[in-house]
């Protein structure tokens, strides 16, 4: 009898597993409190035009509250938020916080493309998407809002999710496929998504010189995406060699530690000012798609 049970859905829990589970459970009320206290932070990582190195836009990334006494990695609290449905109010907070800054970004002449991340599960939620569309329609139009979703986001529940994505695009948002290359999507699927931006995952980009295989993947992704009329962003650009390779192969935009880590607003302003005075390049006031 026991022999039969072996290996059939049997999992051994270690002390560490249960500690991690407890920890996740503790995060649920903390996330709720931080949302209602307006205590989360956003940081902004610039994206640059690879030919001119002009900053064209930013990706907004969530951070755990600074004064919460501990630091919880974003991937960890996002996962907890997704599993506890708090991803809905949390993402609402992100969108509202961004839109409330629009006038200030315009006044300071910060780049206009504003990307945010949307979890896959949000596309199972018709009400959330309707609310998001309402929020976006209150935008003054300075931001070109770009919604980043991972390519596997919608697999499994395609028709309904695709319809919701389509509604979002119709309402004026740009759709970007995040972490491209790490999932299993087909070209047909990519096309049906109506995405106009493709972000190549950093695992193919960072230190590309050391991996001939990654060079092939990046080159063919660029060809494919451009033939489909998409704008391509490389994430995880860390070295000058990465930049040179991407530029030589016609990649449109770059994002990575070579230029800037995700920055708090005052640091972003200093970074933008330093770039403008150094290169004499004007900021990218125009949107790229
Ligand atoms: P992502 O959307 O793919 O964001 C890019 C991640 O790569 C960021 O990590 C960024 O800091 C990191 N990165 C950028 N350049 C480099 C580089 O040159 N080298 C390396 N090693 N890393 C680089 P971060 O901020 O820790 O975010 C991790 C993930 O958490 C994001 O990946 C995204 O999936 C998720 N996330 C962050 N904010 C949100 C949010 O507001 N909503 C949702 N649903 N997910 C979010
Ligand atoms: Mg992203
Ligand atoms: Mg990514
Ligand atoms: Mg990622």
């Amino acid at each position: 009898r026991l022999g039969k049970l072996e290996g059939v859905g049997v999992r051994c829990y270690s002390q560490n597993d249960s500690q991690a589970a407890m920890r996740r459970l503790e995060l649920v009320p903390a996330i709720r409190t931080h949302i209602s206290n307006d205590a989360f932070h956003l940081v902004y990582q610039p994206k640059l035009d690879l030919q001119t190195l002009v900053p064209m836009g930013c990706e907004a990334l969530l951070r755990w509250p600074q004064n919460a006494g501990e630091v919880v990695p974003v991937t960890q609290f996002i996962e907890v938020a997704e599993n506890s449905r708090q991803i809905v109010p949390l993402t609402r907070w992100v969108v509202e916080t961004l839109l409330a800054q629009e006038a200030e970004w315009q006044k300071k002449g910060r780049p206009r493309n504003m990307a945010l991340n949307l979890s896959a599960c949000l596309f199972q939620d018709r009400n959330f998407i309707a609310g998001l569309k309402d929020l976006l329609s209150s935008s003054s139009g300075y931001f070109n809002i770009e919604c980043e979703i991972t390519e596997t986001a919608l697999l499994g529940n395609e028709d309904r999710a695709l319809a919701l994505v389509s509604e979002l695009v119709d309402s004026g948002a740009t759709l970007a496929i995040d972490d491209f290359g790490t999932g299993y999507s087909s070209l047909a699927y990519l096309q049906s998504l109506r995405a106009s931006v493709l972000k190549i995952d950093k695992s193919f980009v960072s230190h590309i010189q050391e991996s001939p295989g990654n060079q092939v993947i990046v080159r063919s992704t660029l060809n494919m995406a451009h033939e489909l009329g998409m704008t391509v962003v490389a994430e995880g650009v860390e070295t000058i060699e990465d930049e040179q390779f991407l530029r030589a192969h016609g990649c449109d935009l770059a994002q990575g530690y070579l230029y800037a880590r995700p920055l708090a607003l005052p640091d972003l302003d200093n970074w933008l000012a330093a770039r403008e005075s150094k290169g004499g390049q004007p900021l990218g006031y125009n949107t790229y798609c």
Side-chain angles (χ1 to χ4, degrees):
R1 263 179 168 261
L2 264 178
K4 261 193 167 175
L5 277 175
E6 253 171 45
V8 186
V10 176
R11 238 204 105 182
C12 298
Y13 286 92
S14 67
Q15 182 75 10
N16 274 345
D17 281 343
S18 59
Q19 270 170 4
M22 277 296 292
R23 178 93 196 84
R24 284 195 291 272
L25 221 60
E26 284 166 10
L27 286 181
V28 176
I31 293 172
R32 187 176 303 123
T33 311
H34 293 324
I35 296 171
S36 54
N37 292 346
D38 203 14
F40 280 103
H41 283 263
L42 287 173
V43 286
Y44 305 85
Q45 189 178 31
K47 300 182 194 180
L48 295 82
D49 179 307
L50 256 168
Q51 298 305 324
T52 62
L53 295 183
V54 171
M56 296 298 291
C58 291
E59 176 175 8
L61 294 153
L62 263 169
R63 291 291 180 266
W64 193 250
Q66 275 167 354
N67 300 320
E70 56 178 341
V71 174
V72 182
V74 59
T75 46
Q76 192 181 342
F77 71 78
I78 286 289
E79 190 194 328
V80 173
E82 286 171 352
N83 292 330
S84 62
R85 297 304 296 149
Q86 293 194 75
I87 193 67
V88 168
L90 185 56
T91 307
R92 252 195 105 79
W93 180 86
V94 170
V95 178
E96 283 169 353
T97 303
L98 289 175
L99 290 175
Q101 294 177 39
E102 213 175 8
E104 187 197 336
W105 281 65
Q106 178 162 19
K107 201 168 124 224
K108 298 209 165 162
R110 296 183 191 130
R112 296 183 64 173
N113 290 285
M114 178 58 79
L116 60 113
N117 293 281
L118 294 181
S119 294
C121 56
L122 295 171
F123 289 91
Q124 312 301 330
D125 187 336
R126 177 167 296 284
N127 286 332
F128 170 80
I129 298 296
L132 179 60
K133 279 165 48 188
D134 282 347
L135 276 178
L136 293 183
S137 71
S138 73
S139 154
S140 76
Y142 184 72
F143 283 157
N144 174 41
I145 296 284
E146 190 174 316
C147 299
E148 299 191 0
I149 60 174
T150 55
E151 56 174 312
T152 43
L154 314 170
L155 293 174
N157 208 329
E158 290 174 27
D159 287 351
R160 183 162 140 212
L162 281 180
L164 292 180
V165 169
S166 220
E167 277 184 36
L168 203 56
V169 175
D170 286 337
S171 76
T174 296
L175 186 66
I177 305 297
D178 208 348
D179 301 347
F180 182 78
T182 58
Y184 306 93
S185 46
S186 68
L187 302 186
Y189 174 69
L190 266 192
Q191 239 185 337
S192 65
L193 269 180
R194 298 176 67 198
S196 45
V197 178
L198 187 146
K199 298 189 73 180
I200 306 179
D201 189 68
K202 54 180 174 289
S203 60
F204 305 106
V205 171
S206 308
H207 304 278
I208 197 163
Q209 236 55 27
E210 294 160 22
S211 170
N214 284 352
Q215 293 171 29
V216 174
I217 291 169
V218 168
R219 270 203 312 268
S220 32
T221 302
L222 279 164
N223 286 336
M224 174 206 76
H226 282 153
E227 294 223 15
L228 289 173
M230 300 170 95
T231 300
V232 183
V233 183
E235 64 170 35
V237 180
E238 292 189 352
T239 70
I240 201 78
E241 288 80 17
D242 297 342
E243 177 189 284
Q244 283 163 351
F245 179 92
L246 293 160
R247 185 186 295 123
H249 291 94
C251 186
D252 303 288
L253 294 143
Q255 174 181 1
Y257 294 172
L258 176 62
Y259 312 104
R261 290 182 179 254
L263 301 167
L265 272 182
D267 300 326
L268 177 69
D269 284 334
N270 290 335
W271 183 89
L272 288 168
R275 276 211 91 80
E276 203 159 20
S277 66
K278 225 195 292 166
Q281 292 276 15
L283 293 177
Y285 293 132
N286 298 315
T287 57
Y288 51 77
C289 53

